[in-house]
Amino acid sequence: MPLVDALGRPLRSLRVSVTDRCNLRCEYCMPEQEYVWLSRDDLLHFEELSRLVDVFVGLGVDKIRLTGGEPLLRRNLPQLVELLARKPLQDLALTTNAMLLDEFAAPLKRAGLRRLNISLDTLQPARFLQLTRQNDHERVMRGIDAASRLFSGIKLDAVIMRGVNDDELEALLAYGASIGAEVRFIEYMDVGGATRWTSETVVPRREMVERLTARFGAVTAIEEPGSTAPADRYALPDGRLFGIISSTTEPFCRDCDRARMTADGVFFTCLYATEGFSLREALRRGEAPEAIAALIAQRWIARRDRGAEERFEIHDRTAYIPLATLREHPHLEMHKRGG
Ligand code: SAM
């Protein structure tokens, strides 16, 4: 029997953040000059992480995504992938900004990584610098190129912001097609870390579909009954597929089967949750796997989170968490709990 929460949602998917460090400073995620970092001693060792993943698998998780921060900054990441690839999982994926993919695509493939999601918000080097504060667009494109020769089914994720990169929908779709990747447009979310968020900057899903329809002709929504994937998928008249993740204007909490764990082992049941629970502490005080499973199950069974939907119900919303609160409680940051 799958573990089901108070709203009937099973626990199927776990996003594991392996580091809170990042080599980009994206405007919508890490816009500040200074951050409070996790202490090295608190980071889960790979063997600890693997034991916790076993517990989650025992509770029904069969999809794991490694994220961060930038997961490729975690030293020896392919070793972790190798450990996880031996587990009975339906999916083992990684989300990356591709800065280090040129070097890591092959070792990750050898280690047994199945799928890659690559974040790419712009095809313009000058805009990339503006958005990320790093002059590394060429390096990212090299990384994507290396990965696309080794991995099939790559997803290219672009956060679309009005007045920033919303003129690149077509160009991103064309680039995706050129490397055999499916592009997903993500609505700008007011998650922790997005301290500059404004509703005016969000480009709603409906508007993106309208714009693409005006450009290409009728865009067809693809029915995927039973899918819990965050993206709704569409087909262009020429058959090209793309996705839209509309967490801001059409949230989909009712389908959410995702739990999250930070690099220091704090378990969260929602991207918007303000309270987490430290599995690292339970593990390091020597709790047995069965006891840790009971701690997780207790929290999942009580889960009523509908973070994105509750934010949607607020009119005149501004950034979710004030900067001073993020400084005091860094686990509220998106780059701690993983996107
Ligand atoms: N560094 C990796 C990367 O860039 O893919 C993994 C971590 S990053 C936090 C994961 C995803 O979250 C990225 O696709 C990023 O664009 C997305 N993200 C971060 N902040 C966001 C926001 N405010 N709204 C929408 N998506 C966001």
Side-chain angles (χ1 to χ4, degrees):
M1 280 291 284
L3 192 60
V4 170
D5 77 6
L7 303 181
R9 301 167 296 186
L11 171 58
R12 291 281 312 279
S13 158
L14 178 68
R15 302 226 165 153
V16 180
S17 172
V18 292
T19 177
D20 62 338
R21 305 279 167 158
C22 195
N23 38 13
L24 297 181
R25 288 290 178 273
C26 297
E27 171 70 15
Y28 51 74
C29 188
M30 299 185 75
E32 314 304 331
Q33 297 298 330
E34 302 282 338
Y35 284 96
V36 180
W37 304 108
L38 295 177
S39 134
R40 230 166 198 287
D41 294 342
D42 287 346
L43 294 189
L44 292 175
H45 308 150
F46 288 169
E47 178 270 335
E48 291 176 316
L49 225 156
S50 165
R51 274 159 56 202
L52 286 176
V53 165
D54 285 337
V55 173
F56 277 102
V57 168
L59 290 170
V61 164
D62 62 2
K63 291 186 262 174
I64 302 256
R65 168 173 300 283
L66 300 176
T67 177
E70 171 46 42
L72 297 184
L73 287 177
R74 179 73 191 251
R75 195 174 304 162
N76 300 325
L77 190 75
Q79 285 177 16
L80 175 66
V81 170
E82 211 173 307
L83 270 179
L84 300 184
R86 295 188 202 130
K87 305 196 189 290
L89 297 171
Q90 191 195 309
D91 197 15
L92 176 59
L94 174 97
T95 300
T96 174
N97 60 27
M99 287 276 280
L100 298 168
L101 254 190
D102 194 15
E103 177 186 348
F104 280 105
L108 287 169
K109 181 78 187 174
R110 274 199 301 277
L113 185 72
R114 305 210 199 134
R115 282 196 318 113
L116 270 178
N117 281 32
I118 301 178
S119 303
L120 179 73
D121 303 317
T122 179
L123 295 166
Q124 302 178 17
R127 190 172 276 179
F128 182 89
L129 170 61
Q130 230 172 7
L131 246 173
T132 67
R133 282 194 256 144
Q134 296 295 322
N135 199 6
D136 278 315
H137 192 258
E138 197 194 320
R139 184 171 166 191
V140 163
M141 299 310 278
R142 233 186 5 253
I144 298 177
D145 188 52
S148 67
R149 277 187 259 116
L150 293 169
F151 287 87
S152 57
I154 290 179
K155 301 253 165 58
L156 276 186
D157 289 337
V159 178
I160 301 301
M161 297 166 79
R162 192 180 305 284
V164 176
N165 62 345
D166 60 327
D167 56 350
E168 288 195 68
L169 301 184
E170 287 171 35
L172 284 163
L173 285 173
Y175 174 67
S178 77
I179 59 161
E182 189 168 313
V183 175
R184 305 193 310 173
F185 301 119
I186 307 178
E187 288 181 352
Y188 185 16
M189 295 169 70
D190 63 343
V191 284
T195 49
R196 316 267 159 99
W197 187 91
T198 62
S199 57
E200 294 76 39
T201 321
V202 177
V203 182
R205 175 234 296 256
R206 180 177 307 203
E207 186 179 331
M208 293 193 230
V209 170
E210 278 168 11
R211 286 201 206 177
L212 291 170
T213 303
R215 169 66 183 83
F216 294 106
V219 166
T220 317
I222 297 175
E223 297 293 329
E224 291 177 297
S227 164
T228 56
D232 288 320
R233 295 171 79 217
Y234 297 87
L236 293 173
D238 64 9
R240 273 186 288 163
L241 301 178
F242 68 96
I244 300 185
I245 301 181
S246 57
S247 322
T248 303
T249 68
E250 295 174 64
F252 38 81
C253 302
R254 78 198 79 85
D255 297 328
C256 181
D257 61 359
R258 286 178 286 282
R260 291 165 194 278
M261 188 164 67
T262 61
D264 62 342
V266 179
F267 169 59
F268 286 99
T269 52
C270 177
L271 186 55
Y272 285 87
T274 48
E275 299 286 325
F277 176 77
S278 177
L279 298 174
R280 178 194 77 251
E281 284 169 18
L283 195 71
R284 289 189 183 170
R285 39 168 209 273
E287 299 280 4
E290 298 74 21
I292 296 176
L295 290 168
I296 296 169
Q298 188 191 341
R299 277 159 185 82
W300 192 265
I301 289 166
R303 177 185 190 242
R304 297 191 151 271
D305 305 82
R306 293 167 49 251
E309 289 179 354
E310 281 167 5
R311 293 296 296 159
F312 177 70
E313 285 154 16
I314 299 171
H315 293 289
D316 296 331
R317 59 205 259 215
T318 54
Y320 177 43
I321 312 231
L323 183 55
T325 312
L326 287 173
R327 293 241 159 91
E328 207 178 320
H329 303 285
H331 280 87
L332 298 175
E333 294 275 6
M334 176 78 146
H335 68 270
K336 292 275 188 296
R337 55 185 63 182

